[in-house]
Structure formats: C-alpha cells, structure tokens
Amino acid sequence: MRDRTFAPGRALVYLVVSLVAAAWLVPLIVVVLNSLRSNEEIAQTSMIGWPQHWAFGNYLAAWSDFCVAQTCAGIRPYMLNSALVTIPATIFSTLLGAVAGYAVSLWRFRGDSWIYGIVTLGIFLPQQMRLLPWTIVLRDTGLMNTLTGLVVIHTIQGLSFTTLFCRNYYVAVPQELIRAARIDGAGFFRIFWRIILPLSPPILVVTVIWQFTHIWNEFLYGVTFTTGQQQPVTAALIALSAAVADIPQHGVQSAAVLIAALPTLLVYLLGGKYFVRGLTAGAVK
Amino acid sequence: MTNAVVTNTGRPGPPEMVRRLPEVLAIWVPLLLSAAHLVSFSLWTIWVSFTPSTLIPVAGWVGLRNYTAVLASRNWQIAFDNLLLFGSAFVLLSLVTGLFLAILLDQRIRGENVLRSIFLYPLAVSFVVTGTVWSWLLNPGLGIEKLVHDLGWTSFKFDWLIDRDMAIWTIVVAAIWQSSGFAMALFLAGLRSVDSDLIKAAQIDGAGPVRMYRRVILPTLWPITVTVIVIQLQFAISTFDLVRALTNGGPGIATQLPALVVYDLMFQRNLLGRGAAAAVLMLLILLAVLLPYAAWRYLQRRRAAHA
C-alpha cells in the first residue's frame, strides 16, 4: 500500500466511503447535539442544529426529573429495571447455554441431535408465536408485571442462541482430550470445570455481549408483560414519547434516548470485535 | 438380589443412577426447558388459533374462521402488502448498500476499522432508540424539511412520514441505515476469503478491477448473498419495534405490518383467537422463506460431501 502513488480511483474510494460514513453518523450527532440544546431552542428552529446555549441540565432532567405516567423520577428507575432484567438473564442464559452446548457437542446421549435441532429452531420462531403462552404462564405463576418474569423469559429464550454459540465452539475441542480425562476418572462436571471452561473465555465473551445487547434492546415482551414502574427502559421511552406528545421536550427526550442507548453502545465500543463475531456466528448457522 | 443382578450385567443400578443424577439434570434441564417451551408454545398458539377465544383462551373449535377473518380484514391486507413492499425494498437495498460498502472497505484503505465500526454501530442500539431518532429527523415540522425551510428553500418538501403512500419508505430508510452494516460484515468476510490463487490467475490474464469483481470475485459470494437475504427477510417479517417507535403503524394504518396486527388483535382488541391466527400466518410467511433455504443448504452440503 505504501508504494502506491496517488491514484484518482483511490481518492474517489476515500471520498465516497467518508461521505457514507458521515451520513451514517448523522442520527447520532443530531441526538447528541439536541441533548445539549434547550427545548425552546429546538422548538424555535429544528432538530438539526448547533447548540446556542449549552443545556447540560437536559441530562439531569432526563435522568431523574421528567414525568412518565404520573411518576416524575426520570429515566433512572427504568434503567435500573433494564439492568435488573438484563444482567441476571444474560448470566443465566450464558451459563446454561455453556453447559447445554458442552453436553450436545462432547457427550453422546440418546436424542442429542434431535433435541439440539429443536433448540436451535428457537432462533427462527417469531416472538409472536410465544406471546400468548407466555402471557398465560406468567399470569398463572404470578410473574406478570414483574422483572423476574422477564428474566425467566429471556433466560429460556436466550438458550437457543447461547447453546448454538457454545456448541459450535466446543465441537472443535478434540474428543481425545475428553476421552483421556474420562479414563483418568473425571466426570461430566470435572471435565467441564477443568478442561472446557478454561478454553471458553472467547466464546463466553461473544455470548455475553450478544445476550446483553439483545435483552437490553428488547421491547415487545417489556411492553406486553410490564406496565408503569416495572417497565424496562425501551418500553418507558415509548411511554415517554406518548406522554409528552402535546408539549414536546426534545432536548430532554434526546438526553433520555442517549442514556438508554449508552450501555449497549459502550459494550459495542469495548467489545466490537466480539459483537461482530456474534453477529456472523448467528448468521452462518 | 436385584442389586446383584444389576451389578452383574454392568447396567447402572439405582446407586449409579443417583450418583449420575446431577449430570443427567445438567444435560437435560436447559435443553428440555428450551425445546419444551418452543414445541408446546407453538402448538398452544396454533391450537388457540382454531378456537373462539377472545379475552381469555377457551376450548372449542371454529375451524378456519379466525384465519378467514384475519385474511379478510383491511388491517391484515395492508400489513401484508406493506410487508411485501418493505421486505423486498429493504432486502434489496440493504444488500446493494452492504455489498457496495464491503467492496469499498476491501480496497485496503486506511481507517478500515473505524469505518467498519461506524457502519455497524446502529446494530448495537435498540430499534426503539433509532426509530425515535428517525421519527424526529423525518418529521416535516421538526427535522430535515424544517431545516431546509429555515435555510431559505421554503418550497422544499420531504414529508414521507405523514404521507400515506410514502410512509412505509421511512421504515425502509431506517431499516437500511440500521442493518446494512450487517450485510457489509458478512460480505467483507466473504471477500476476504476469496482464493488468492484465483485472483492472481485473473491478474495474469490482465483483468482490471471491475472485471475482476464481476467475473471472479462476486460469483463466489453467492452463498453469502443467499444467507444475507434470508436473515434480512426474517428480520423484515418480524419487524415490530422499529415501526412502533417510528410511525406506530400510521398515518392511520398506512405502515401496519403483520407483527403489529398480532399485537393489536391480542392485546388491544382482546381477540386472542384471531391474534393467534395472525401469528401462525406470520410463521407460515417465515416458513415460505426458510424451508426453501433449508432445502438449498441441505443440497449444498450433500454436494460438498460428494465432491
């Protein structure tokens, strides 16, 4: 590359790719700038503009002041709800998926390929096919409108992805390693603990990032199975838009939207490589 | 005595069973939880779709009445037409955009990592967030149209969001922006795995860059293209959050999609039977995409195994 002289073709490549990248950043830049403009300023001009007066107060208002459905505590309680759903559900679905993936990849048992086949179908089955049964299950178990209910849903549904990710990774572990360990008297758990887990950090990072992003961003179950103070942040954002429809507060709303997006954006910035690996692993099944 | 017999045949007797219980549980509990909920929930929804259930599921049999009612409703017809338009436009355009970006990034340019991160970041953000932001940008009184008016060009018009005929295109735009990066990532991986001997041979034959892509490199991307199409279609069929945040199905019901119809029937009109029928119809649409794909994959694998 270094020895290449200037070529008009390459300049064009750079120009086009920078323009597209700039266009891709527009929505983010617009929200960031709006989150720093006062509601009045936005109302007088448009959503697209440079802040005349920096309105850092928007973030405080968004975090702890503005009102959704008669409760004026900002976005904070809903962020907490999302965290209380996402973190346990990510941990449980990843751990269970690791064990299940280990079982179907390295242990032969009756019906293993059948049950694994069914589990992976969960990747394709639309959420709408499970909405009604979940409604009834949650109601009958008293978990309707609870964060625990959402944790249960995301743990069980996440298993399709986590099992697939881990199984595809563990398939590459040499069978001889397992056989030798068994001859030495190691059982299912000891092999998992001593041999498999130490090999697992790369796939566990991929799985955790994938699950965290998906559960945090999930909306349909959140809006269907929780109301009011129990809602995760995605559902609360929609409620907020509806609540302020008459007197829009675009500065505060922009700050709220950014705060809600921040956890997954941070995860993406820190673990982008693993995020992309999850995307492509989920794709090339 | 039974114990002795069991031990003699070498079969695991009760103590062995007890000893292996934690292991059996660890193997079966997660797998069964997942598989059992998938199978029973699907059958459950299919069953409800044949019952006269309204507010709560009830037993009974109405045959295909829920299906005919859904299929005859304007709501579903608009949703289905929208899905056809949105699905094909979104898949085609995100495919072209993704491939175009992948080819650009494949030119060994500086800052490739940064650029790739920029094209992929929307995928890390919830559709509720991106839908909300796009609804601001595309709102004629607030976003791009307002900006252009303020700049002096007052006859400028860009009001797709409130135009019944064009509103579905706002969903297409937002979806392309959000998911083209995914197509790009898969295509880029494909471009990077093209056999370098193939490229060298073509170079020796004097192929220029355009011919190189058209004749040598792009034909090898067929399998990835099919995968991208299927995954994007799957996304299009189940699109819910994005529409909910961007247009909420409006104006009127102009941007209705099947997933919104299911939600509306089940939880807003309390017509569970019809809602379930609409969900099953969604599944059938999905199967119409996935089954040919599965068959194609199977044939491909078999051919690879024979080769």
Side-chain angles (χ1 to χ4, degrees), chain B residues 233-251:
Chain B
L233 273 177
Q234 191 196 344
F235 160 74
I237 292 166
S238 51
T239 294
F240 177 79
D241 322 12
L242 183 61
V243 185
R244 192 66 204 278
L246 182 46
T247 64
N248 199 10

Side-chain angles (χ1 to χ4, degrees), chain A residues 18-43:
Chain A
S18 322
L19 282 178
V20 181
W24 243 246
L25 285 172
V26 162
L28 180 65
I29 295 168
V30 165
V31 194
V32 170
L33 289 179
N34 276 316
S35 72
L36 298 168
R37 301 166 77 204
S38 71
N39 297 322
E40 296 74 29
E41 194 182 312
I42 295 170

Side-chain angles (χ1 to χ4, degrees), chain B residues 159-161 163-171 255:
Chain B
D159 59 354
W160 292 0
L161 196 66
D163 180 335
R164 276 172 184 280
D165 296 324
M166 294 305 286
I168 190 72
W169 289 95
T170 62
I171 318 256
T255 51

Side-chain angles (χ1 to χ4, degrees), chain A residues 237-259:
Chain A
L237 281 180
I238 294 284
L240 168 67
S241 305
V244 300
D246 298 333
I247 317 150
Q249 306 181 25
H250 289 116
V252 178
Q253 279 178 272
S254 297
V257 155
L258 268 182
I259 295 173

Side-chain angles (χ1 to χ4, degrees), chain B:
Chain B
M1 189 188 156
T2 36
N3 262 345
V5 171
V6 168
T7 322
N8 281 345
T9 55
R11 285 230 189 113
E16 170 80 3
M17 288 277 282
V18 171
R19 200 173 61 75
R20 288 196 53 192
L21 190 64
E23 166 184 334
V24 171
L25 286 178
I27 291 176
W28 282 102
V29 169
L31 290 170
L32 272 182
L33 264 180
S34 176
H37 108 273
L38 287 167
V39 172
S40 64
F41 281 19
S42 301
L43 294 176
W44 197 344
T45 302
I46 293 171
W47 173 70
V48 172
S49 76
F50 289 107
T51 66
S53 306
T54 52
L55 191 61
I56 49 161
V58 292
W61 183 264
V62 295
L64 291 172
R65 207 166 356 153
N66 287 323
Y67 289 89
T68 49
V70 169
L71 287 170
S73 71
R74 227 172 85 78
N75 215 2
W76 174 268
Q77 286 165 359
I78 290 178
F80 187 74
D81 289 348
N82 277 339
L83 178 61
L84 287 183
L85 177 67
F86 166 64
S88 38
F90 157 68
V91 169
L92 197 70
L93 292 172
S94 71
L95 203 68
V96 172
T97 314
L99 182 60
F100 178 65
L101 292 176
I103 291 176
L104 287 179
L105 286 190
D106 192 37
Q107 306 307 310
R108 306 192 180 287
I109 57 176
R110 280 164 210 251
E112 184 198 314
N113 283 333
V114 175
L115 289 165
R116 209 173 35 188
S117 308
I118 292 174
F119 297 133
L120 277 167
Y121 87 91
L123 282 163
V125 185
S126 113
F127 286 106
V128 170
V129 166
T130 59
T132 308
V133 176
W134 278 105
S135 77
W136 291 333
L137 284 174
L138 297 170
N139 184 326
L142 201 63
I144 297 166
E145 188 182 295
K146 182 75 170 20
L147 176 78
V148 178
H149 285 187
D150 288 352
L151 291 176
W153 181 6
T154 45
S155 58
F156 175 80
K157 224 174 149 196
F158 184 47
D159 59 354
W160 292 0
L161 196 66
I162 52 167
D163 180 335
R164 276 172 184 280
D165 296 324
M166 294 305 286
I168 190 72
W169 289 95
T170 62
I171 318 256
V172 175
V173 168
I176 289 172
W177 171 80
Q178 188 135 9
S179 336
S180 290
F182 170 72
M184 177 208 71
L186 286 190
F187 279 131
L188 193 57
L191 288 173
R192 294 277 153 85
S193 60
V194 174
D195 191 352
S196 58
D197 290 345
L198 213 62
I199 296 175
K200 271 183 209 138
Q203 271 170 341
I204 291 166
D205 288 348
V210 176
R211 260 205 33 209
M212 175 84 80
Y213 273 103
R214 275 192 47 198
R215 292 292 168 80
V216 184
I217 299 177
L218 293 188
T220 65
L221 294 181
W222 255 118
I224 292 179
T225 310
V226 176
T227 304
V228 172
I229 291 175
V230 168
I231 291 171
Q232 303 284 52
L233 273 177
Q234 191 196 344
F235 160 74
I237 292 166
S238 51
T239 294
F240 177 79
D241 322 12
L242 183 61
V243 185
R244 192 66 204 278
L246 182 46
T247 64
N248 199 10
I253 51 169
T255 51
Q256 197 70 289
L257 282 176
L260 277 89
V261 175
V262 173
Y263 186 82
D264 182 55
L265 288 171
M266 279 186 184
F267 301 109
Q268 270 150 358
R269 301 192 195 187
N270 293 320
L271 294 169
L272 287 185
R274 286 191 196 177
V280 175
L281 287 173
M282 270 182 73
L283 180 67
L284 292 177
I285 298 172
L286 192 68
L287 287 178
V289 173
L290 289 180
L291 288 181
Y293 176 65
W296 176 77
R297 284 284 296 256
Y298 173 76
L299 286 176
Q300 239 199 355
R301 274 201 198 133
R302 227 177 51 169
R303 208 177 304 154
H306 282 301

